[in-house]
Amino acid sequence: GAVAAASMKELTETLAATDQHFIRCIKPNDRRAPFEFDEALVRSQLQSCGVLAAACVAQAGFPYRRTFLSMLDDFRDLLTLEEQRLAWGGSAAERKAMVRKLLTQAGFADEDYQLGRTMVFGSAGLEAQFAERARELRERREADERARQREAEAMSAEQKARLAEMEREREEAHAAMLAAAEAATVDAEKRRLEAEAAARAKDAELEATRAAMQQELEERRAAADAAEAQRAADEAALEEARREEEARLLEAAQRQRAAEEQARGPAEKAA
């Protein structure tokens, strides 16, 4: 029990120190021997557990997913001081522009990755490939820096001033590029909000029109019901008047017959 508890504690500490994504326990052999792998047994477990199929599905999509800030933090030594300041204090649009710049400088094609609003999505192996290309990029930059230092040592004061001016202009150009990306994003967001407002206005107009049409329909139905009730009342009144007229005529006819019978009685007796 103590051995199992210690082993579990060690495993928990190892997992806590890593960036775990997916865990599948595979038995390396049937003999419980350490550092011994039965290739056929392991392959069978990988196939039956669906690990190989999951790896194929992940490879076909974008399994690499990191936030802009996390990726920029991993490769912060590739950023200038201004870019590092924007990475931690800038907006998501500025971080997105810097991530795109890094991936472009590393030589990745657009189909190798997709940039969302706050995250970068990459194909399988993008992280390892980017780490390798970042290392190459870092080495190139360091070599360029050493070359610039050697050139600076041989430059005159006027040449150094001119180079410093060019460096400042380059930094300003990069800042302008990031500002343009931010402005484009703000403009796009403004257009999106305007489109949403227009859509909501159209929805409200449609709902108001539907409500007005429904009210008009209900008013027409109420008017039709009232007209039908009035017609039924008129027909009932007409029927009542007709029955009263028939009763009056019948009563008049009965009185006339009674008067005729009374008039015939004395005449018959005299005859």
Side-chain angles (χ1 to χ4, degrees):
V3 175
S7 177
M8 182 61 66
K9 183 176 182 296
E10 182 181 357
L11 175 61
T12 303
E13 292 174 351
T14 302
L15 292 176
T18 60
D19 187 12
Q20 61 270 28
H21 296 283
F22 180 81
I23 298 176
R24 171 69 73 178
C25 294
I26 300 297
K27 182 165 40 171
N29 58 73
D30 290 328
R31 293 173 294 281
R32 299 183 180 179
F35 306 107
E36 181 178 333
F37 290 87
D38 186 334
E39 182 178 351
L41 177 63
V42 172
R43 182 183 300 109
S44 175
Q45 293 178 81
L46 293 174
Q47 291 174 344
S48 61
C49 293
V51 175
L52 296 181
C56 292
V57 171
Q59 188 174 14
F62 291 108
Y64 174 76
R65 302 178 180 186
R66 298 293 294 275
T67 64
F68 295 152
L69 183 59
S70 177
M71 186 174 185
L72 293 172
D73 183 55
D74 290 342
F75 302 99
R76 58 184 174 276
D77 54 338
L78 297 177
L79 305 177
T80 64
L81 293 177
E82 177 64 20
E83 288 173 339
Q84 290 182 15
R85 184 186 65 80
L86 291 176
W88 278 269
S91 64
E94 291 170 330
R95 293 171 184 157
K96 183 175 182 179
M98 284 186 285
V99 169
R100 188 184 299 278
K101 177 183 175 183
L102 282 178
L103 291 173
T104 301
Q105 290 178 343
F108 285 98
D110 292 341
E111 59 268 17
D112 292 332
Y113 64 91
Q114 291 289 332
L115 298 182
R117 298 183 65 179
T118 59
M119 297 186 68
V120 55
F121 302 87
S123 56
L126 178 67
E127 184 174 17
Q129 295 176 27
F130 185 72
E132 177 63 23
R133 297 187 188 183
R135 183 186 61 80
E136 297 173 358
L137 180 60
R138 188 180 299 109
E139 292 176 353
R140 289 200 305 269
R141 289 186 175 181
E142 291 175 353
D144 293 341
E145 181 63 24
R146 288 193 297 269
R148 283 195 297 268
Q149 289 178 357
R150 288 193 299 269
E151 292 175 357
E153 292 173 357
M155 288 179 184
S156 63
E158 182 179 354
Q159 289 173 328
K160 290 180 179 180
R162 176 56 183 164
L163 183 60
E165 177 66 18
M166 293 177 65
E167 289 286 346
R168 185 185 63 79
E169 292 176 353
R170 187 191 66 172
E171 293 296 330
E172 291 178 353
H174 281 290
M177 179 192 68
L178 294 175
E182 173 68 12
T185 303
V186 170
D187 186 59
E189 181 68 13
K190 180 180 178 181
R191 290 196 301 271
R192 183 185 68 81
L193 293 175
E194 290 176 351
E196 289 181 355
R200 287 194 295 270
K202 288 296 183 182
D203 290 341
E205 181 180 359
L206 179 60
E207 291 299 325
T209 302
R210 286 178 175 172
M213 293 175 64
Q214 182 66 25
Q215 183 178 0
E216 182 180 358
L217 180 60
E218 291 177 354
E219 290 176 354
R220 289 181 179 179
R221 288 176 178 173
D225 292 342
E228 180 64 21
Q230 184 62 40
R231 185 188 62 79
D234 292 343
E235 290 182 352
L238 182 60
E239 180 66 20
E240 181 65 22
R242 185 183 61 79
R243 286 197 297 269
E244 291 178 355
E245 182 64 20
E246 289 179 351
R248 187 184 63 78
L249 294 175
L250 179 60
E251 183 179 358
Q254 290 175 349
R255 287 199 300 269
Q256 185 177 0
R257 283 197 299 271
E260 291 176 353
E261 289 177 357
Q262 289 179 358
R264 283 200 302 271
E268 289 176 356
K269 290 181 180 181

